[in-house]
Amino acid sequence: MVREMSAGPSRRRLAGALTALGGVTLLAACAEDAPQDTWQPAGENAQRIQDLQWWVFAIAGAVGLIVFATIAWVSVRYRDRGQPIPRQTHGRPALEIGLTVLPALILVGVAIPTIGTLMDLSRTSDTECVVNVTGQQWWWEVDYPPQEGCGGFSEPIVTSGQMVIPTGTKVLVRGTSRDVIHSWWIPRLNGKRDMVPGRVQTVRLQADRPGIYAGQCTEFCGLSHANMRMEVVALDPADFETWKANQLADYTAPMEGSLAAAGEQVFISQCATCHQVDGLVNADGVPIIAQPQERVFAGAAPNLTNLTTRNTFAGATWDLLTPTCRDDVWNASPEEFGAAYLAGVSADCLNEVDLREWLRNAPAKKPMYADPEQLGPTDGLNRGMPYLALSEAQIDQIIAYLLERQ
Amino acid sequence: MAIIERPVPATSVGPALPTVTPSSSLGVFRRPVAATGWRSWVFTVDHKRLGIMYGVAATFFFVVGGIEALLIRLQLAGPDGTVLSADVYNQMFTMHATSMVFLFAMPMAAAFGNYFLPLQVGARDVAFPRINAFGFWSFLFGAMFVNAGWFLGGAADGGWFMYAPNSGVAYSPSHGIDFWAIGLQITGIASLSGAINLIVTVLNMRTRGMSLMRMPVFTWMILVVQFLLLFAIPVITVALFLLTFQRVFGATFFSVEAGADPLLWQHLFWIFGHPEVYILVLPSFGIVSEVLPVFSKKPLFGYPFVVFSGAAIGFVGWGVWAHHMFASGIGPISVAVFSMSTMAIAVPTGIKIVNWTLTMWGGKLRFTTAMLFAMGLVVEFTIGGLSGVTHSVAPSDTQQTDTYYIVAHFHYVLFGGAVLGFFAGFYYWWPKVFGKCLGERLGKWNFWVMIVGLNLTFGPMHIVGLQGQPRRMYVHTESRAGEGFFNITFWNFAASVGAFIIAISVLLFLINIWHTHRTAPPAPLDPWDARTLEWMTTNPPKAHNFDSVPTVHALDEFFHRKYEDVGEGDEHDLRRVATAEELLAEQEANADHHIHLPSPSYWPVVLAFALPIVGFGVIYNHLIAVVGASIVVLAMFGWALEPSVALDTDYDPPAPDDGPGTELATVGGGRP
Amino acid sequence: MTTTGSKLLIGATVMAVVAAVVYGVIVGGALGTIGLSSAAMGLALLAGVNVYTRDADVSSMDTQAVMAAPAAAAAPGNSMWPIGAAVGGVLLVVGFVTYPVMVVFGVVVLLAATVEWTVQAWSERASGDATFNASLRGRMAHPLEFPVLGAIGLGVVIYSFSRIMLFLSQAGGPAAFATIAALILLVGFVVAFRPTVRSGAVAGVATIALVGLVAGGVAAALEGERELHPHETTGDLGREGQCDTGEETEADENASQTVGAKANLLADIVLHEDGRLEADALGLPGGAGQLVVARNNPTNVRFVNASGEERRLVLDLGTRPAVDENGDVIEDEEVPDQRCTALANEDGNQLLNFTVTEPSASGGPYAFVVPGVDGARVEVVVP
């Protein structure tokens, strides 16, 4: 934060003072920074980076100040006042060598802790729990493989947009991509890592306190790159068990004759081709398996089995909660956060405005590649969700159905 | 025609044969020897005219890239901007970078290099003048080709780094990336031919006494840049070929399903891309190393250190490419190695800053506009360099890469470095090129407005980036903006205001040019009391640069011819012993005879014009490519068959021995 | 001005252009159009040359010149092209009755001789100055000669070298390569540090080296190549239903035995000596009997064969509809759907790249197995 305030030669001294005062104090003190602030670590890994870069920024700032002060002094002291033409000296090698060795030594001092931190942050041997993420245009799929870590998983859980992890646990994120390169970044928990198709990349995450940690895809991934977000939700281990049990609970069909039951039928005819809802069966009682590869180029669509346990949708770009309810969750104290989050999305809290706009015409809300006339290069497959021409009545029914996906 | 009417030399055996002269020849086969009018520009092979044309074209694309930047900043001025659609925004930032890097900064460096390098080494032209013309025209046609996408279904939209697989047809179905890849291929030909040309010029055509260590630093830096180009352009050529084959012919170089790895592209691109950064910034380092000594009345402090640090940057620059890939998952060992090499490159860069500062130390500083821009570079580049050091710390970089912090960093490096250097060069060398000094009053306005704009635009981006706003997003949102001093929305707005302030300063510069050329009196011969050879000739220089090629005895030859140290022992007392006018008169009195200069030619422009035709053919219809390739072959033949010097019959009417002819022909021409 | 001789060529050019356009519009087809366009280009080139040289017809412009023309004054110099053309003709004729490749050689030699002959004849009468004429010939012919000769020379060197390297054994190749490289370096050092070495000596050494290289190449080419292992073709194994066998097949013979520098795989699938098969995935230590694979996602795993015997890894994806030779689906007939690696030799590795489109729930169960090793099995779970 040293450099943004320094300007041209005339403002140098002012800049120096501002930098020293403003940069340091404001940075450390300001508690209402953006949710993706890189200077507010909330876990071990991000803290390691913070401890390292603090010194580097300080050294860089100090060097900068010395250079600016020197130039300022020189330009005042040696301006042309009619003094004689100076001696035509070509330099002093001893001074030159000294001024070469000095920065080299400083950099060696920076390099050593850099390497140490680097190696620690790339370790995968001491992690306690694995979560997989898979990027595709323009959302993240999250799945938990069967394992003993994180309290044990007997069968896989597939969700999207929000990754739920237990606090105080060293989580290893293994990520890849189904189409182009995306990047997984939760600034308050760790640095970013590109998710490259064909490769499995790892990121360590650890959250000290319960809460929501925002992130965003940072590798340019096409049309809606700006609308590809993700959140890590940290719950304390007991709450995490509750969340897990809820995710694995059996499908509850809507009451017959209810609005949601009609919604189920609309969902089956309109949505289930791509979106998996585990436990959903057709009229013959045969489980419905989504076939996203028939409609979507990446071959995947978010699993909606427990949509309203999450509080975002469409690549975590929009909230499923109204602004008030959202604030209640985001600003909840660490003790109350678990309960607030696990309450899911109630009918009162549902952000119907954005959800309805989305269901009415998804590509109009989030730029996607779904114009049937432009699908030649992908053999007619969409990138993103197409326009479905749902009637308002159908949208009501679907929303009623989705509200029960808790 | 030329071939038949060749006179028989007296030494040949047998009776003397009469000269056979054709009655007439088709006009098109005659050399375009006009010294005035548009033909004298289009077909010129004069390095100075080509330099000016490079400069004009680069300035045009600077304005184009600037407008693209303004549109980007308009879109981002507030949250959820609606000025541009996502699709157009993606094209806009891709083409902004492409315009600024390939179509502005590189040709602008070529403009300065072309114009001043031969003058600074005391040569009469570059080594291969027609290749020089070919280079300019293929740059211009390539640049137009890159931008053709705008009018033919959308420009490239994959970012200037064009990462695979997002650059594939499935993810970018318009022809924009095809135009981009092939167009850059064509401008690459320009850079490569220019590089060879200038390298040979420096190595072979220096004047008497100009050893390598007596060359001006600007020439040195241009030489280093040409070597970088010579080795970097082939890499991007390969990469662009792979990309074109992947898109046009269905190859699978980057397809995971076929067992390939998308990271291959990143390695290829950045092995080119990082040296490219030094290609962009070293010419400006050279300019500043000329300007600071002149206005400090002192030689450059530690000349050999500056030269060798430039060369060292040129070498080490090849070993740092993967620092663009710290987040790509290349493994901790690679990251560690590239982290260290990136720190290492900070040392020679630091040496330059130190030497520039110490050049001013103890000097006699005159704060002309050129000097202000040069000092501005030292300050602003230092900011960019130091934020670069924070990136070399790889774990820290994983927080900063692909955020606006990086955008801030490289704009301080490239705007604060390259662009301010170019402006220093404009103000310093304008009287040399156009014979008039740019207005100092407007110039100082230009400088201060630019400095304010630059810091207001790119300074806040540090904040925005550290607050977690990624790059390349067509919208940012209030919900993740935070509150208080570091509010992202506020600082985005500030940056947008800054962008328009920069635009005003560029406008001031253009007004200054217009105003100067309307009202300013001719500049004095040596307005700045300069130090190097290019000032030892008229303003602007004659077609053959020097009437008598000077002999060099020392670094800063011109200065030492003007001043002598009459002090004794440790006392130094520099006294003027000659004026520039006297030195020029002396030179003109001893003018060389038989100055050999190459003649203008059609073929470079014809050959260059055929390249985009091939490009269109590759994209739309391979038959057109065949036609283009045929023109390439024909033009190469025509070029090869053409004598280097125009013959008498090329003049219309054929110039008699003492006829009016042209200046070219009178001074040396190629007349037998 | 259009000269007499060029009228024919200009006319022919126009005809060819018209024909190309007409053909392209009416008949279509790239080959014909390209052919006609090329003919037009060639004819245009000839027409241009003809206009440029005024038909090479001095007499038409200056009647005196017939007497005074250089051609009339100086006898033409020596030329190797008549005999070159003859050799070409003979090769052509002999080729027709013996080997077709000889015909190609004949055509090339004949063509080269004709072009060179033409250029030489034309240049020799350009003026009375032999030096100037020679430079004229150079200007005309060098743009063709240099690239072609350069390409041929390089081609011969590269071809000879490649034959030698292919002839040598796998161990001998690197050794020979190192030796040759060292020799070149040595010679380079000597030349660089002793600028007084005569250029003749350098040329001599280079010639000897070149002759030796070409001779070695010829000898090696006649001797034939060593046994080669081209790149793997295991993709065909699954399609051909050969995954089941633990025996070596033709595809295995042609498959490489190691994995290239592939990093960041989903998992290592390890076959232990006692016949256990385990998936070793990042972050899930201890060797699991189960591997989770994302659906519709191109995935890479590595088969690590620690069993001491040649084995292959097979991904068993159940069955798929059978297809006939034309690729049409045969009704009511299912065949095993498998992907497999090539046979990995003892302590060898193999890469497997695959995509699963159906989840286990509908298409499963899926598993990695090793033919010939009972009980070696890793469940593949596709959520």
Side-chain angles (χ1 to χ4, degrees):
Chain A
M1 304 303 293
V2 166
R3 42 205 56 74
E4 66 270 9
M5 289 153 198
S6 45
S10 83
R11 287 165 49 195
R12 262 175 244 111
R13 291 181 182 183
L14 184 66
L18 266 182
T19 310
L21 279 170
V24 177
T25 49
L26 280 173
L27 189 80
C30 202
E32 297 194 64
D33 285 343
Q36 286 166 208
D37 184 10
T38 57
W39 285 81
Q40 290 194 46
E44 185 199 358
N45 303 296
Q47 189 64 50
R48 288 296 306 265
I49 296 176
Q50 171 90 326
D51 295 345
L52 179 65
Q53 70 183 5
W54 180 250
W55 287 106
V56 179
F57 273 73
I59 291 172
V63 172
L65 284 181
I66 293 169
V67 173
F68 302 151
T70 312
I71 292 174
W73 186 78
V74 164
S75 53
V76 173
R77 168 73 180 75
Y78 293 110
R79 71 178 187 277
D80 187 356
R81 301 187 181 93
Q83 69 261 46
I85 296 170
R87 192 160 73 91
Q88 300 296 299
T89 169
H90 286 277
R92 271 187 289 169
L95 180 64
E96 297 269 359
I97 291 167
L99 287 171
T100 308
V101 172
L102 186 69
L105 285 178
I106 295 176
L107 286 169
V108 169
V110 172
I112 292 166
T114 298
I115 307 292
T117 310
L118 183 63
M119 292 300 166
D120 284 351
L121 287 175
S122 62
R123 254 196 313 184
T124 57
S125 53
D126 63 338
T127 48
E128 299 159 323
C129 176
V130 166
V131 186
N132 296 327
V133 298
T134 311
Q136 49 267 298
Q137 289 179 329
W138 289 274
W139 59 281
W140 291 96
E141 184 178 86
V142 180
D143 74 271
Y144 299 76
Q147 60 188 302
E148 275 149 33
C150 284
F153 284 84
S154 52
E155 50 186 299
I157 293 174
V158 182
T159 171
S160 69
Q162 282 187 326
M163 173 192 288
V164 181
I165 60 169
T167 52
T169 309
K170 293 188 177 70
V171 175
L172 185 71
V173 175
R174 299 189 309 185
T176 184
S177 162
R178 284 198 172 92
D179 43 32
V180 303
I181 300 175
H182 303 276
S183 192
W184 175 269
W185 186 38
I186 308 292
R188 297 188 61 194
L189 299 183
N190 202 341
K192 57 184 73 67
R193 176 73 72 216
D194 286 3
M195 298 308 176
V196 182
R199 288 178 168 237
V200 175
Q201 316 267 38
T202 57
V203 193
R204 296 159 62 94
L205 294 183
Q206 180 184 344
D208 293 337
R209 290 178 304 278
I212 297 185
Y213 302 99
Q216 187 141 12
C217 173
T218 41
E219 188 60 82
F220 177 64
C221 58
L223 201 56
S224 242
H225 167 58
N227 296 321
M228 182 169 173
R229 301 194 196 144
M230 59 284 206
E231 285 162 9
V232 166
V233 179
L235 298 175
D236 63 44
D239 287 335
F240 184 74
E241 287 304 317
T242 316
W243 174 83
K244 196 196 302 175
N246 186 32
Q247 297 291 311
L248 291 170
D250 287 339
Y251 178 74
T252 44
M255 282 225 303
E256 258 181 72
S258 66
L259 197 61
E264 187 182 44
Q265 292 313 308
V266 179
F267 189 90
I268 289 173
S269 67
Q270 295 287 341
C271 315
T273 321
C274 295
H275 291 288
Q276 179 72 30
V277 169
D278 296 336
L280 186 63
V281 294
N282 65 12
D284 303 330
V286 180
I288 295 174
I289 303 293
Q291 298 295 338
Q293 71 274 15
E294 290 170 8
R295 294 294 301 277
V296 185
F297 191 61
N303 185 312
L304 299 183
T305 309
N306 295 294
L307 174 66
T308 40
T309 61
R310 326 200 267 264
N311 43 29
T312 63
F313 72 102
T317 306
W318 287 281
D319 293 299
L320 278 173
L321 295 170
T322 56
T324 332
C325 297
R326 176 184 185 275
D327 284 349
D328 289 346
V329 178
W330 278 70
N331 300 335
S333 68
E335 296 76 36
E336 291 161 356
F337 174 78
Y341 179 75
L342 289 174
V345 181
S346 65
D348 297 337
C349 272
L350 180 70
N351 172 11
E352 284 204 36
V353 181
D354 284 324
L355 187 57
R356 275 177 186 279
E357 279 179 6
W358 175 257
L359 290 171
R360 251 175 235 135
N361 189 351
K365 183 143 180 77
K366 173 174 174 173
M368 289 183 289
Y369 185 75
D371 179 354
E373 286 174 11
Q374 292 181 357
L375 300 181
T378 51
D379 293 329
L381 299 176
N382 296 298
R383 285 190 284 130
M385 180 160 149
Y387 169 60
L388 293 172
L390 298 173
S391 70
E392 288 302 310
Q394 284 175 318
I395 291 174
D396 289 343
Q397 293 161 351
I398 289 181
I399 288 176
Y401 174 71
L402 290 177
L403 266 176
E404 294 184 9
R405 299 305 105 213
Q406 298 245 3
Chain B
M1 280 283 302
I3 292 165
I4 299 173
E5 48 82 54
R6 180 78 183 182
V8 177
T11 52
S12 67
V13 190
L17 299 165
T19 304
V20 181
T21 316
S23 51
S24 66
S25 62
L26 288 173
V28 72
F29 285 122
R30 218 181 273 152
R31 290 292 276 266
V33 289
T36 53
W38 63 272
R39 283 190 195 81
S40 70
W41 287 89
V42 173
F43 303 120
T44 187
V45 295
D46 180 358
H47 73 99
K48 296 180 289 299
R49 291 195 165 198
L50 288 166
I52 292 172
M53 290 198 289
Y54 263 118
V56 170
T59 307
F60 172 75
F61 286 108
F62 182 52
V63 173
V64 170
I67 291 170
E68 283 157 356
L70 290 180
L71 286 169
I72 290 172
R73 281 320 314 174
L74 264 184
Q75 164 79 2
L76 297 179
D80 302 315
T82 51
V83 177
L84 307 173
S85 71
D87 187 26
V88 175
Y89 181 85
N90 291 346
Q91 297 172 32
M92 206 57 80
F93 76 71
T94 303
M95 292 306 290
H96 165 67
T98 307
S99 299
M100 288 305 192
V101 170
F102 293 102
L103 312 184
F104 159 62
M106 285 173 75
M108 192 54 92
F112 280 106
N114 247 307
Y115 201 105
F116 297 108
L117 185 138
L119 283 166
Q120 285 199 328
V121 300
R124 290 212 154 100
D125 204 323
V126 291
F128 308 113
R130 282 184 296 181
I131 290 182
N132 202 15
F134 169 67
F136 168 73
W137 290 108
S138 31
F139 151 68
L140 188 64
F141 293 135
M144 288 155 82
F145 195 80
V146 169
N147 279 290
W150 285 115
F151 309 104
L152 295 167
D157 58 358
W160 89 291
F161 49 95
M162 213 50 83
Y163 274 6
N166 193 38
S167 58
V169 177
Y171 303 106
S172 179
S174 81
H175 279 306
I177 293 180
D178 298 324
F179 279 108
W180 182 86
I182 296 171
L184 290 188
Q185 202 77 281
I186 296 172
T187 61
I189 294 173
S191 303
L192 208 50
S193 60
I196 292 168
N197 211 339
L198 291 184
I199 289 172
V200 177
T201 306
V202 170
L203 295 186
N204 277 358
M205 297 179 66
R206 297 190 310 278
T207 183
R208 288 181 296 272
M210 176 158 287
S211 62
L212 285 175
M213 292 310 282
R214 283 180 190 163
M215 288 199 312
V217 179
F218 173 74
T219 296
W220 255 114
M221 290 305 113
I222 293 286
L223 179 66
V224 172
V225 166
Q226 304 314 312
F227 273 106
L228 284 172
L229 281 170
L230 186 62
F231 295 114
I233 297 290
V235 183
I236 191 69
T237 302
V238 168
L240 291 173
F241 264 120
L242 299 188
L243 174 60
T244 304
F245 272 65
Q246 176 115 11
R247 285 183 61 90
V248 179
F249 303 115
T252 54
F253 296 110
F254 312 113
S255 305
V256 179
E257 313 79 63
D261 187 346
L263 287 195
L264 169 65
W265 169 268
Q266 297 188 15
H267 283 292
L268 285 174
F269 184 82
W270 290 119
I271 291 175
F272 153 78
H274 200 80
E276 171 74 12
V277 174
Y278 299 107
I279 290 168
L280 298 176
V281 81
L282 283 180
S284 282
F285 284 6
I287 293 172
V288 168
S289 305
E290 296 294 305
V291 172
L292 287 174
V294 166
F295 296 107
S296 306
K297 277 265 190 319
K298 265 183 71 194
L300 187 66
F301 191 86
Y303 169 88
F305 282 86
V306 175
V307 167
F308 283 119
S309 66
I313 291 173
F315 276 109
V316 185
W318 290 97
V320 298
W321 80 86
H323 69 214
H324 298 267
M325 301 166 64
F326 281 162
S328 295
I330 51 174
I333 304 292
S334 317
V335 171
V337 169
F338 281 99
S339 185
M340 305 255 264
S341 63
T342 306
M343 290 177 189
I345 208 167
V347 175
T349 318
I351 291 176
K352 283 191 180 301
I353 304 274
V354 165
N355 280 295
W356 289 330
T357 312
L358 290 179
T359 301
M360 294 188 278
W361 190 292
K364 181 177 158 73
L365 308 184
R366 280 179 298 155
F367 296 107
T368 60
T369 309
M371 180 67 165
L372 287 177
F373 272 110
M375 291 175 71
L377 180 144
V378 178
V379 171
E380 305 295 344
F381 180 83
T382 302
I383 298 173
L386 289 171
S387 61
V389 172
T390 66
H391 297 146
S392 69
V393 179
S396 169
D397 182 69
T398 60
Q399 287 285 25
Q400 295 147 6
T401 187
D402 279 326
T403 70
Y404 266 85
Y405 187 84
I406 292 279
V407 181
H409 158 68
F410 70 74
H411 278 98
Y412 268 96
V413 169
L414 293 181
F415 202 110
V419 177
L420 291 187
F422 289 147
F423 272 85
F426 291 149
Y427 280 91
Y428 176 60
W429 275 316
W430 205 270
K432 173 58 34 194
V433 178
F434 298 105
K436 290 183 174 190
C437 290
L438 282 173
E440 281 288 303
R441 226 167 70 88
L442 261 176
K444 286 187 176 141
W445 273 100
N446 178 6
F447 170 74
W448 287 109
V449 173
M450 184 168 282
I451 289 293
V452 169
L454 151 63
N455 288 291
L456 186 57
T457 309
F458 305 119
M461 288 185 186
H462 290 112
I463 300 182
V464 172
L466 291 176
Q467 287 292 303
Q469 182 178 333
R471 304 164 69 177
R472 301 163 188 141
M473 303 202 311
Y474 75 101
V475 283
H476 54 91
T477 165
E478 195 61 52
S479 74
R480 292 195 177 184
E483 286 160 27
F485 182 72
F486 292 133
N487 177 279
I488 286 176
T489 308
F490 170 74
W491 288 113
N492 267 305
F493 179 72
S496 295
V497 172
F500 281 88
I501 295 179
I502 293 179
I504 290 171
S505 80
V506 173
L507 206 61
L508 284 174
F509 174 66
L510 296 177
I511 292 171
N512 198 354
I513 293 177
W514 175 76
H515 189 69
T516 299
H517 284 260
R518 262 177 55 94
T519 61
L525 190 59
D526 181 22
W528 316 122
D529 199 6
R531 313 177 70 88
T532 38
L533 283 192
E534 77 269 26
W535 295 97
M536 277 185 65
T537 179
T538 49
N539 294 340
K542 299 167 182 169
H544 52 282
N545 291 354
F546 302 98
D547 280 345
S548 158
V549 174
T551 303
V552 173
H553 308 92
L555 185 65
D556 295 335
E557 173 74 13
F558 185 42
F559 186 85
H560 289 292
R561 289 198 189 188
K562 288 186 291 185
Y563 291 91
E564 247 172 44
D565 192 349
V566 296
E568 289 175 12
D570 283 345
E571 294 291 306
H572 295 278
D573 187 7
L574 283 160
R575 288 287 160 80
R576 182 181 275 276
V577 292
T579 64
E581 284 78 7
E582 287 163 8
L583 290 171
L584 182 64
E586 183 193 332
Q587 198 191 108
E588 281 174 345
N590 297 312
D592 292 341
H593 302 289
H594 302 299
I595 297 172
H596 169 91
L597 275 186
S599 299
S601 171
Y602 292 114
W603 299 115
V605 64
V606 172
L607 181 50
F609 184 70
L611 298 175
I613 298 181
V614 177
F616 272 110
V618 170
I619 295 173
Y620 289 111
N621 185 334
H622 297 175
L623 272 184
I624 303 176
V626 174
V627 172
S630 311
I631 301 177
V632 168
V633 172
L634 285 180
M636 291 202 307
F637 243 92
W639 187 327
L641 287 168
E642 186 180 63
S644 68
V645 173
L647 298 153
D648 291 351
T649 44
D650 289 322
Y651 294 90
D652 187 25
D657 280 347
D658 52 352
T662 62
E663 188 197 1
L664 243 182
T666 336
V667 176
R671 321 278 277 333
Chain C
M1 296 307 103
T2 324
T3 55
T4 316
S6 60
K7 282 176 187 159
L8 173 70
L9 290 165
I10 291 172
T13 310
V14 174
M15 285 296 291
V17 171
V18 172
V21 171
V22 171
Y23 184 87
V25 171
I26 295 175
V27 184
L31 197 64
T33 323
I34 290 176
L36 284 165
S37 309
S38 311
M41 277 301 156
L43 286 165
L45 177 67
L46 286 177
V49 169
N50 239 31
V51 172
Y52 187 59
T53 62
R54 319 282 322 150
D55 285 357
D57 186 2
V58 180
S59 61
S60 69
M61 292 165 282
D62 189 341
T63 43
Q64 289 235 312
V66 180
M67 294 304 295
N78 297 331
S79 176
M80 60 180 280
W81 299 117
I83 194 170
V87 170
V90 170
L91 279 175
L92 190 71
V93 174
V94 175
F96 276 127
V97 291
T98 53
Y99 307 103
V101 67
M102 230 182 208
V103 178
V104 179
F105 268 109
V107 169
V108 170
V109 172
L110 203 54
L111 209 63
T114 316
V115 170
E116 290 285 1
W117 191 339
T118 310
V119 173
Q120 193 184 23
W122 166 79
S123 71
E124 275 177 354
R125 49 184 287 197
S127 82
D129 181 354
T131 328
F132 177 73
N133 288 353
S135 80
L136 209 54
R137 196 206 78 86
R139 232 189 266 148
M140 193 75 179
H142 285 169
L144 266 182
E145 282 175 351
F146 286 169
V148 170
L149 287 178
I152 292 174
L154 263 184
V156 167
V157 169
I158 292 170
Y159 187 77
S160 307
F161 191 67
S162 71
R163 289 312 102 184
I164 294 174
M165 295 308 283
L166 284 169
F167 166 74
L168 294 172
S169 69
Q170 250 176 326
F177 191 91
T179 315
I180 295 174
L183 274 177
I184 292 174
L185 193 67
L186 196 70
V187 173
F189 260 119
V190 170
V191 174
F193 280 99
R194 299 215 166 220
T196 49
V197 174
R198 281 212 319 269
S199 60
V202 177
V205 171
T207 311
I208 292 170
L210 196 67
V211 170
L213 186 66
V214 174
V218 171
L222 293 176
E223 199 64 27
E225 299 165 2
R226 68 165 185 273
E227 208 181 330
L228 289 175
H229 299 286
H231 286 292
E232 56 203 286
T233 52
T234 49
D236 302 333
L237 276 175
R239 226 168 294 135
E240 292 162 4
Q242 293 183 355
C243 280
D244 281 334
T245 169
E247 305 298 311
E248 184 166 313
T249 68
E250 199 180 344
D252 293 316
E253 257 175 61
N254 294 331
S256 67
Q257 293 297 308
T258 51
V259 178
K262 272 280 176 193
N264 308 59
L265 303 152
L266 178 68
D268 283 345
I269 313 292
V270 188
L271 179 65
H272 294 283
E273 214 165 343
D274 56 7
R276 276 181 304 125
L277 191 64
E278 280 185 342
D280 186 0
L282 274 179
L284 294 171
Q290 197 182 44
L291 183 69
V292 178
V293 173
R295 191 180 167 195
N296 284 322
N297 196 7
T299 304
N300 292 315
V301 297
R302 179 168 62 160
F303 174 46
V304 179
N305 181 12
S307 68
E309 282 172 77
E310 291 196 335
R311 294 292 178 206
R312 81 168 85 250
L313 182 70
V314 176
L315 173 58
D316 182 1
L317 296 174
T319 58
R320 59 183 166 85
V323 289
D324 63 16
E325 286 139 18
N326 302 326
D328 299 324
V329 176
I330 306 169
E331 300 265 330
D332 301 329
E333 196 182 323
E334 299 270 307
V335 292
D337 189 8
Q338 293 177 327
R339 310 277 183 281
C340 60
T341 66
L343 215 54
N345 56 13
E346 308 91 51
D347 305 320
N349 295 327
Q350 283 288 344
L351 186 77
L352 183 60
N353 175 294
F354 61 93
T355 306
V356 188
T357 51
E358 285 288 323
S360 316
S362 56
Y366 304 134
F368 285 117
V369 293
V370 177
V373 184
D374 292 335
R377 187 176 175 86
V378 168
E379 297 294 331
V380 173
V381 177
V382 181

